Amino acid sequence: MNFIGKKVIVYSMLGLLQAGMFSSIAAAAPAPLHIDSSRITYLDRDDRRDDDRRRDHDDRMRKEKERHEREMKRRPHENEREWRERQEREKERHDQSLREIAALLIGIAIGSGSSNN
């Protein structure tokens, strides 16, 4: 009897765990099963705005990379030491600019994700 009682307890706990997992999945599922036409129109407008933002992001990235390439080249009046110092400053500035541009893209992703809810 003791052996059967332990098995009943273990299997009932496993069943409760599975029920808990499935209830959290059910709660995470989208509630409405239909979308009306006004919602679809809203999503289309939002997608166009996201495309504009992504295009702006890509343009900023391209401009920053072009500027970085220009700044990394040695200038005729510079000696080796000045050039290396300028390169170090430019690398730090370039990394900071890329982080800011990436933060803009993350903001776009978060904004588009929150507008869908």
Side-chain angles (χ1 to χ4, degrees), residues 2-108:
N2 194 10
F3 182 71
I4 293 173
K6 287 181 183 179
K7 281 198 174 213
V8 168
I9 291 172
V10 168
Y11 285 127
S12 63
M13 288 177 61
L14 287 174
L16 288 173
L17 282 172
Q18 287 181 348
M21 282 191 289
F22 287 123
S23 66
S24 65
I25 292 172
L33 296 177
H34 64 3
I35 298 176
D36 59 348
S37 61
S38 63
R39 177 73 175 158
I40 292 172
T41 304
Y42 173 75
L43 291 175
D44 286 343
R45 278 186 276 138
D46 194 40
D47 288 343
R48 278 187 241 123
R49 189 173 65 213
D50 284 347
D51 289 342
D52 291 342
R53 287 180 182 166
R54 290 181 199 279
R55 195 174 307 115
D56 181 45
H57 169 265
D58 293 341
D59 190 42
R60 286 181 66 185
M61 284 291 283
R62 182 185 51 79
K63 287 179 181 177
E64 173 59 27
K65 287 181 181 180
E66 289 173 357
R67 192 203 60 76
H68 179 67
E69 286 179 16
R70 279 193 316 270
E71 290 296 318
M72 292 302 282
K73 292 180 183 175
R74 187 172 179 176
R75 296 180 182 151
H77 65 279
E78 283 182 315
N79 63 22
E80 187 76 21
R81 183 179 54 82
E82 291 172 340
W83 181 48
R84 296 286 177 209
E85 289 173 358
R86 190 171 56 82
Q87 276 185 327
E88 288 298 317
R89 287 191 310 269
E90 173 54 29
K91 284 180 186 176
E92 290 173 11
R93 189 212 164 280
H94 179 68
D95 290 341
Q96 180 64 28
S97 296
L98 290 181
R99 277 189 231 109
E100 289 174 5
I101 294 171
L104 174 69
L105 186 63
I106 291 170
I108 291 169

